[in-house]
C-alpha cells in the first residue's frame, strides 16, 4: 500500500467492520422477511461502500469480492436467484461475508490479501453460474443447433 494511504488503514478496518456487521444483520432480516426490499437495499449500499473504500485504498482483492457480491445481489433483486430454500444463495452470501471478515483481519495485521481472488469469489460466482434452466429450453436449443448444423452441411 502507498505510504500516503497507509494512515487510513485503521479507519478503513473499523468502518469496514461496521459495514460487515450491518450486512450480516440485514441478511438475517432479509431471510426472515424476503418480501421486504429494505434489507436487500441496506446490504447493497454497505457492500458498495465497502467496495469503493477498498478500491480507493488499493485492497483490490476485497474490492473484487465486493463486486462479485454486488452481482449476486443484483440477481436476487431481479428474481433470477432465490435467497432462501433449496438452491438459495443466502449461505453463499454468509460465506462471502465471512471471507470478507477474514480478509479484513489480514489487512489489519498488515498482511497481503492472500489468495482472495481464487478462493473468495468462488462461492459467489459458483452460485451465480447455477441459475436454473428448464429442460425444455435446453431441448429446444439442442434441436435448433442440430438443424443449424444440418443446414450448414448442405
Amino acid at each position: 500500500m502507498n505510504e500516503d494511504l497507509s494512515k487510513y488503514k485503521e479507519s478503513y478496518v473499523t468502518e469496514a467492520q461496521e459495514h460487515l456487521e450491518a450486512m450480516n444483520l440485514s441478511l438475517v432480516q432479509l431471510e426472515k422477511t424476503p418480501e421486504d426490499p429494505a434489507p436487500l437495499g441496506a446490504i447493497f449500499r454497505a457492500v458498495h461502500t465497502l467496495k469503493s473504500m477498498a478500491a480507493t485504498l488499493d485492497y483490490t482483492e476485497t474490492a473484487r469480492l465486493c463486486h462479485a457480491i454486488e452481482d449476486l445481489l443484483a440477481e436476487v433483486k431481479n428474481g433470477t436467484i432465490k435467497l432462501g430454500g433449496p438452491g438459495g444463495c443466502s449461505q453463499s452470501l454468509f460465506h462471502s461475508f465471512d471471507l470478507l471478515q477474514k480478509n479484513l483481519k489480514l489487512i489489519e495485521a498488515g498482511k497481503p490479501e492472500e489468495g482472495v481472488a481464487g478462493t473468495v469469489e468462488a462461492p459467489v460466482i459458483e452460485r451465480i453460474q447455477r441459475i436454473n434452466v428448464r429442460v425444455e429450453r435446453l431441448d429446444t436449443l439442442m434441436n435448433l443447433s442440430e438443424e443449424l448444423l444440418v443446414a450448414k452441411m448442405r
Side-chain angles (χ1 to χ4, degrees):
M1 179 191 308
N2 184 325
E3 282 301 314
D4 296 332
L5 298 177
S6 65
K7 63 185 175 184
Y8 300 109
K9 181 174 79 170
E10 186 177 326
S11 296
Y12 165 76
V13 170
T14 301
E15 189 172 342
Q17 294 285 2
E18 291 170 8
H19 285 296
L20 264 173
E21 185 177 331
M23 289 162 58
N24 277 300
L25 292 173
S26 293
L27 186 52
V28 169
Q29 184 62 37
L30 188 60
E31 284 187 309
K32 291 179 184 176
T33 56
E35 67 284 347
D36 183 5
L40 183 62
I43 297 169
F44 244 117
R45 286 186 300 279
V47 77
H48 184 75
T49 301
L50 189 56
K51 178 184 77 173
S52 298
M53 290 173 17
T56 301
L57 295 173
D58 291 329
Y59 298 128
T60 55
E61 299 301 335
T62 299
R64 289 176 67 189
L65 173 60
C66 290
H67 183 73
I69 293 170
E70 281 182 324
D71 289 345
L72 181 59
L73 292 172
E75 296 289 331
V76 171
K77 185 177 181 179
N78 294 335
T80 309
I81 295 177
K82 295 184 296 181
L83 183 69
C89 69
S90 62
Q91 291 306 311
S92 291
L93 286 170
F94 278 123
H95 180 67
S96 296
F97 295 173
D98 289 345
L99 292 168
L100 277 173
Q101 179 68 45
K102 178 182 175 186
N103 214 32
L104 284 176
K105 288 179 181 176
L106 288 171
I107 290 169
E108 187 174 31
K111 297 180 180 177
E113 303 166 275
E114 59 184 56
V116 176
T119 60
V120 174
E121 289 181 11
V124 176
I125 292 186
E126 178 184 327
R127 181 62 199 105
I128 289 172
Q129 291 173 345
R130 281 195 212 159
I131 298 170
N132 294 329
V133 177
R134 289 190 294 208
V135 175
E136 298 84 15
R137 288 187 179 176
L138 290 174
D139 285 342
T140 302
L141 182 60
M142 289 298 293
N143 289 336
L144 291 172
S145 297
E146 289 171 6
E147 289 176 21
L148 182 61
L149 181 61
V150 169
K152 185 176 180 179
M153 289 172 65
R154 286 183 187 160

